[in-house]
Amino acid sequence: MDIQYEIKYSNRKTVNISVERDRSVIVRAPQGVSEDKINYIVKSKRDWIIDKMNHKQKYPAKPEPKEFVSGETILYLGKNYQLTVVDDIFDGVEFNQRFTISRANQKEANKLFKDWFYERAFLKIEPKVKFYAQQLGVKYKQVKISDMKYRWGSCTPNNNVIFNWRLIKAPMYVVEYLIVHELAHLIEPNHTPEFWNIVSIQIPQYEEAKTWLKQHGYLLEVEF
Ligand SMILES: [Zn+2]
């Protein structure tokens, strides 16, 4: 498992790693320490970090997996929608301000929802990538939706941009922030002030999006 962390540069003298109550990992570092070095330090402290993250009293337990029964809610684009299981027989998931599945498919509901979320993720994300790539003047090869754990998005050395299908649980402004974040890495690979400047021009409320992601980071570890 790759540990996701956020780097905060300051005038401090040493590197410090902390695990927050929401299990997010913050690395506080002096100005000028490279991301490679920080990555190396985080890796060397991996066991300690994971131990902390699994501390039950301090950190809330992961939510229970969904059972896909009527009345359950499913998060989509930042809103909870109710699920109804009906006797009618039809394929897949229907969505119209609520989710509906056929009782005949209830056992495979997890897979049906995953397929539906993958499809929606691509439909929502792809046009935005196109739009923001134009704004930023960057070129990418392909948009891919994947099942990576512990990350919302990434860009590959051959300029593919990949997003976790779970990202579509987030409100659209958060989705757009992450798209811009990944595309901005095609210009500036590190989280330098220049990087955040590029991001903030496209997404002025990016701090809000970061806060949302921090509070909902656990969503990366659950299916729905
Ligand atoms: Zn980044």
Side-chain angles (χ1 to χ4, degrees):
M1 146 189 177
D2 262 354
I3 291 170
Q4 271 277 97
Y5 56 88
E6 193 191 329
I7 304 171
K8 287 192 174 161
Y9 286 104
S10 68
N11 292 329
R12 53 179 300 121
K13 294 230 163 64
T14 54
V15 174
N16 166 273
I17 302 174
S18 64
V19 180
E20 306 293 299
R21 277 195 70 82
D22 61 1
R23 301 189 205 199
S24 61
V25 179
I26 310 275
V27 180
R28 291 180 177 81
Q31 306 283 359
V33 178
S34 70
E35 291 200 26
D36 280 352
K37 177 103 191 273
I38 288 171
N39 201 22
Y40 176 81
I41 296 170
V42 168
K43 275 196 176 136
S44 72
K45 301 259 181 194
R46 195 175 172 276
D47 290 349
W48 177 86
I49 294 168
I50 289 174
D51 206 49
K52 277 242 158 184
M53 288 167 104
N54 290 334
H55 195 290
K56 287 215 175 52
Q57 265 107 48
K58 204 166 169 195
Y59 305 99
K62 285 186 209 173
E64 290 292 309
K66 292 264 186 277
E67 282 175 39
F68 301 101
V69 292
S70 282
E72 263 187 330
T73 56
I74 289 163
L75 188 59
Y76 172 58
L77 290 177
K79 274 194 207 160
N80 274 307
Y81 293 98
Q82 285 233 340
L83 171 67
T84 313
V85 182
V86 297
D87 290 330
D88 302 357
I89 292 176
F90 57 89
D91 289 333
V93 171
E94 282 183 2
F95 177 70
N96 187 4
Q97 296 314 300
R98 63 166 59 219
F99 288 104
T100 312
I101 57 166
S102 170
R103 196 173 310 284
N105 296 328
Q106 202 173 13
K107 279 207 184 82
E108 36 175 335
N110 195 78
K111 188 192 174 299
L112 295 184
F113 271 98
K114 211 162 170 175
D115 289 348
W116 191 88
F117 269 70
Y118 257 80
E119 205 184 296
R120 285 295 173 122
F122 188 81
L123 288 174
K124 295 282 178 190
I125 290 171
E126 203 266 344
K128 295 286 180 190
V129 174
K130 202 182 245 175
F131 172 80
Y132 284 113
Q134 247 165 23
Q135 298 288 307
L136 295 168
V138 294
K139 288 209 173 7
Y140 62 94
K141 266 202 191 123
Q142 259 187 303
V143 177
K144 289 183 178 176
I145 306 299
S146 93
D147 197 11
M148 51 191 161
K149 272 224 167 133
Y150 312 111
R151 295 198 79 169
W152 293 108
S154 68
C155 47
T156 66
N158 54 350
N159 288 10
N160 284 326
V161 277
I162 308 176
F163 295 96
N164 193 318
W165 64 270
R166 292 172 182 84
L167 176 55
I168 211 73
K169 295 179 194 178
M172 209 55 207
Y173 75 93
V174 176
V175 176
E176 292 190 35
Y177 155 69
L178 266 180
I179 290 169
V180 170
H181 185 123
E182 293 313 326
L183 291 174
H185 276 317
L186 300 175
I187 303 170
E188 168 56 59
N190 297 315
H191 297 136
T192 57
E194 167 66 9
F195 173 86
W196 292 113
N197 188 36
I198 295 166
V199 171
S200 71
I201 291 166
Q202 302 301 325
I203 312 284
Q205 76 280 37
Y206 78 98
E207 288 285 1
E208 220 177 295
K210 280 171 81 177
T211 305
W212 192 96
L213 287 166
K214 223 177 182 180
Q215 284 165 348
H216 296 82
Y218 67 90
L219 289 174
L220 277 173
E221 296 172 54
V222 296
E223 292 278 88
F224 294 102

